[in-house]
Amino acid sequence: MNIQINQLGYTPKMKKTALLRGPLADEMQVKNAAGETVLTVPVDQGRTELWGDSLAAVDFSALSMEGTYTLHCGDASSYPFVVAESPYQDCLAALVDMLYYQRCGCDLGPETGVFAHPACHTGMARVYGTEEKVEVSGGWHDAGDYGRYIVPAAKTVADVLLAWQWNPAAFVQGITPVLDEVRWELEWMLKMQRADGAVYHKVTCASFCGMVMPHEETEALILSPVSTTATADFAAAMAMASRFYQSVDAAFAQRMKEAALQAWAFIADNDPILFRNPEGIRTGGYGDGYDGDERLWAAVELALTCGGDSYPKAAREWLAVIDQNSAPLGWADMRGYAAIEGMQLPGEAGESCRRWVRKEADRLLERINAYGITMTDYLPWGSNMDVCNHGMLLFAAYQLTHQETYRLAAEKQLHYVLGVNPVSYCYVSGFGSRPMSHPHHRPSVAQGVAQPGMLSGGPCSGLADACAKERLQGQPAGKCFVDDHASYSTNEICIYWNSPLIALMAGIMGA
Ligand SMILES: [Zn+2]
C-alpha cells in the first residue's frame, strides 16, 4: 500500500494524517463507502526519505463525520478505515483478553475457541540445585513460550494498572474484568516469593519445548535462583497493586503490601544478586547488569503506598544516584515507572520525577521521524514495545502538562503499530485490513491460526534468526519484519509487548 493509515481508524476529533509513498498526484481524495469524494486535500510535493521510502504527510483532519472511507491519490489508494467514536474499543478488549489466553495452570474453555486446553504446568516446581518442591501454578505464559518470569511480569502488571488509572472507562468488555485478569498474575507472583522475602527469578522447564499446546509441555518445572532485580520489581509491583485493590479487596491489598515489605527488607539487606541462567537452564534469561533502577521503582511505590519517612528517603537517595540519566520503560530498566509513579510524591522527589518525565518526553519529541516514531535505524528485538513505551511516556507528559504536542506524538506511536509503518501491517493479530497473522507463538502454530489480540515484536534490524537472515538481507531497518512464525526475532509476541499498547491505547481513548 502506498497510502498508509491507521487501519483501525480515527475518532472524529483526532488529528488525521496519511503517509504517502513515492511520486504521487497533487491532490488526495477522501471517498466514502459509496465511492463519492467527500474531501479533497492538496499533497505537498516535498518529500522525506526514510527506510527506502520517499514520504509525504497529508493532513485530512477536516474529515470528522463518522463513516467508512478510503484515501486516493493518483493510482494509489489506502485500506478502508472508519471514523467512529470508539474505533479502538474492540482491539483494547482483545489486547486484555490476550492475557487471559496466556493463562497458565487452569482450563481454558470454549470462550477461547480453538485455543481451549486443559490445565497446564500444574506440577510442583523444583528449586534449582535442591530437592525442594514449591507450588507455583498460575500466572500468564510470558510469550511465544510457556515460561513465567517475574521481571517481565512486573512490567506487564504496571502497564495494565497504569492503563486502568489513566482511563478505567476504556475497559468495558472482554472475557474477564481487567483487574480480575491482573490479579491472576499477582496471585502467581505471590507464590514466587521465598520465606525470607526474596523472589525466584522465573519458573520454566530446562529448555523451550516444541510447537505444542501448553498442556503438552510436560517436562519438569524448575524454579531458577532468586535475583534482586526480580525481588525489587516484585516489591514495586506489589506495592503499586495494593493501592489499586484497596477498594476491591482490602485483605488481598494488605497481603500484597506485606509481601512488598518483605521483598524490600530482603533487597535492603543484600547487595545486587544479578541473574544469569544457571547451568542446564536454557529458557529466557531476562538478565540485567544493574538493579538500581528496580530498587528505585520499589522505593517510590513503597513511599506512595506506606508513606512515613523511610521509603521517601530511600527513593530520594536512589533518585540522586540516577536522576541524570534518561527514564526509559522496559523490562530491564524501570526508571520510567519510578518517574511516572513518582510524580505523585510530595516535595523535591515528586518535582524531580515530574522534571524527569518532561525531559524524557522532550528527548523523544526530538527523535520523531517521518513514520512518526521515536526510533533510530537501530531497531531492537521487540521494537514495537519501545514504540509503545515511548507512547506511554509521551502520554504521561501530556497528563502532566496538558500540552497537545505530547498527546499528538503519543497518537503517532499508536498509528504506527496499527498501520502507518513501512510494511503496511496492522501489528495486532486479528485487527485491521492487513493484520499480522503468523506469530512465533506456540498455540497459534499448533492450531494453525493466529490467536487474536497479540502485538507483534515488529522489525528487528539485527536479523537475529535464520528466517529473517534469509528473507530480509539488505532491507532498511523499518522493513526488517517478516510475518512468519519462524522469525522469532521479528514476529514473536509477549505479555509485556501487549501491555504498553494497552496503556497507550487506553490513555489516548480518554484524552
Ligand atoms: Zn502453562
Side-chain angles (χ1 to χ4, degrees):
M1 277 291 166
N2 282 331
I3 304 182
Q4 317 283 47
I5 41 94
N6 181 331
Q7 294 175 25
L8 266 55
Y10 305 84
T11 66
K13 67 175 184 183
M14 223 173 203
K15 183 177 168 70
K16 304 172 188 72
T17 307
L19 264 192
L20 273 54
R21 273 204 289 233
L24 296 167
D26 295 337
E27 289 182 336
M28 183 181 83
Q29 288 84 35
V30 182
K31 295 186 178 179
N32 63 17
E36 300 158 349
T37 298
V38 295
L39 180 69
T40 300
V41 283
V43 175
D44 185 340
Q45 292 304 307
R47 290 286 186 271
T48 307
E49 304 294 325
L50 180 64
W51 292 332
D53 294 331
S54 184
L55 299 163
V58 184
D59 190 310
F60 62 105
S61 303
L63 180 71
S64 60
M65 194 190 297
E66 292 192 31
T68 301
Y69 302 94
T70 48
L71 304 180
H72 301 264
C73 186
D75 295 334
S77 60
S78 72
Y79 289 120
F81 62 93
V82 298
V83 173
E85 277 302 332
S86 297
Y88 312 126
Q89 194 88 71
D90 292 346
C91 186
L92 181 67
L95 290 166
V96 175
D97 283 349
M98 175 268 198
L99 300 171
Y100 179 88
Y101 280 83
Q102 296 287 108
R103 279 190 180 198
C104 184
C106 67
D107 295 349
L108 289 191
E111 68 282 1
T112 57
V114 299
F115 298 100
H117 65 76
C120 54
H121 305 108
T122 49
M124 301 275 274
R126 184 174 58 79
V127 177
Y128 182 84
T130 75
E131 291 307 314
E132 185 189 351
K133 296 277 185 76
V134 185
E135 199 284 304
V136 288
S137 65
W140 301 314
H141 300 135
D142 180 56
D145 68 301
Y146 299 131
R148 287 167 288 150
Y149 310 78
I150 287 293
V151 165
K155 167 173 171 52
T156 311
V157 163
D159 289 339
V160 181
L161 292 179
L162 280 171
W164 176 256
Q165 179 176 307
W166 286 345
N167 187 9
F171 299 94
V172 294
Q173 38 179 319
I175 298 174
T176 52
V178 65
L179 288 187
D180 289 8
E181 199 48 51
V182 174
R183 183 169 179 162
W184 182 261
E185 185 78 339
L186 291 165
E187 295 272 15
W188 162 71
M189 290 173 75
L190 286 166
K191 295 181 181 179
M192 293 288 282
Q193 187 173 34
R194 229 166 45 178
D196 64 353
V199 178
Y200 295 109
H201 197 77
K202 61 174 176 175
V203 57
T204 66
C205 301
S207 304
F208 292 127
C209 65
M211 291 292 174
V212 298
M213 288 294 281
H215 62 287
E216 295 170 314
E217 185 184 60
T218 51
E219 286 75 18
L221 292 170
I222 302 163
L223 277 161
S224 282
V226 303
S227 68
T228 47
T229 49
T231 305
D233 276 346
F234 172 97
M238 287 296 157
M240 180 183 187
S242 75
R243 299 197 304 279
F244 284 78
Y245 289 82
Q246 186 59 42
S247 61
V248 179
D249 181 341
F252 179 55
Q254 182 63 24
R255 238 176 94 208
M256 289 193 288
K257 183 174 158 182
E258 284 165 12
L261 290 169
Q262 285 176 346
W264 177 264
F266 181 86
I267 53 174
D269 282 350
N270 283 275
D271 290 334
I273 305 168
L274 303 174
F275 186 80
R276 290 184 65 168
N277 264 337
E279 195 181 342
I281 302 289
R282 287 174 295 277
T283 49
Y286 292 108
D288 180 351
Y290 180 60
D291 73 358
D293 48 297
E294 285 82 6
R295 288 172 187 258
L296 167 64
W297 182 33
V300 166
E301 296 293 356
L302 281 161
L304 290 169
T305 302
C306 303
D309 292 331
S310 60
Y311 305 109
K313 181 165 171 286
R316 278 195 304 277
E317 283 169 6
W318 281 106
L319 267 170
V321 175
I322 54 182
D323 186 17
Q324 301 311 311
N325 299 306
S326 71
L329 301 165
W331 58 262
D333 199 327
M334 315 310 278
R335 280 175 287 184
Y337 295 97
I340 290 174
E341 288 284 275
M343 292 196 293
Q344 305 168 62
L345 289 171
E348 176 53 31
E351 188 49 47
S352 183
C353 289
R354 291 187 287 275
R355 197 168 56 234
W356 214 1
V357 166
R358 285 193 68 151
K359 202 168 74 180
E360 186 72 9
D362 289 342
R363 189 180 69 84
L364 292 171
L365 282 181
E366 283 175 15
R367 285 171 41 180
I368 286 188
N369 66 20
Y371 270 105
I373 58 169
T374 50
M375 309 295 288
T376 63
D377 273 352
Y378 168 71
L379 294 180
W381 193 317
S383 63
N384 281 345
M385 174 193 77
D386 294 82
V387 170
C388 295
N389 284 346
H390 295 172
M392 282 181 69
L393 268 160
L394 289 160
F395 185 78
Y398 168 69
Q399 283 226 309
L400 174 67
T401 63
H402 296 287
Q403 285 181 16
E404 289 291 289
T405 325
Y406 296 129
R407 181 175 60 79
L408 293 173
E411 287 179 5
K412 284 182 179 177
Q413 314 313 304
L414 183 70
H415 298 329
Y416 170 88
V417 296
L418 300 179
V420 185
N421 57 62
V423 289
S424 307
Y425 272 95
C426 174
Y427 280 120
V428 179
S429 55
F431 287 85
S433 295
R434 192 183 193 205
M436 175 277 278
S437 301
H438 304 283
H440 179 83
H441 175 248
R442 281 165 176 73
S444 299
V445 176
Q447 303 302 66
V449 58
Q451 183 181 295
M454 302 189 295
L455 176 67
S456 167
C460 172
S461 56
L463 306 186
D465 62 67
C467 176
K469 281 188 173 71
E470 185 188 323
R471 308 259 299 268
L472 299 170
Q473 280 302 337
Q475 287 290 334
K479 293 177 181 167
C480 289
F481 169 74
V482 52
D483 187 13
D484 188 313
H485 68 78
S487 183
Y488 50 85
S489 72
T490 77
N491 205 26
E492 195 174 349
I493 61 87
C494 282
I495 56 172
Y496 60 94
W497 297 347
N498 262 51
S499 61
L501 180 55
I502 289 170
L504 174 62
M505 193 176 270
I508 286 171
M509 285 166 70

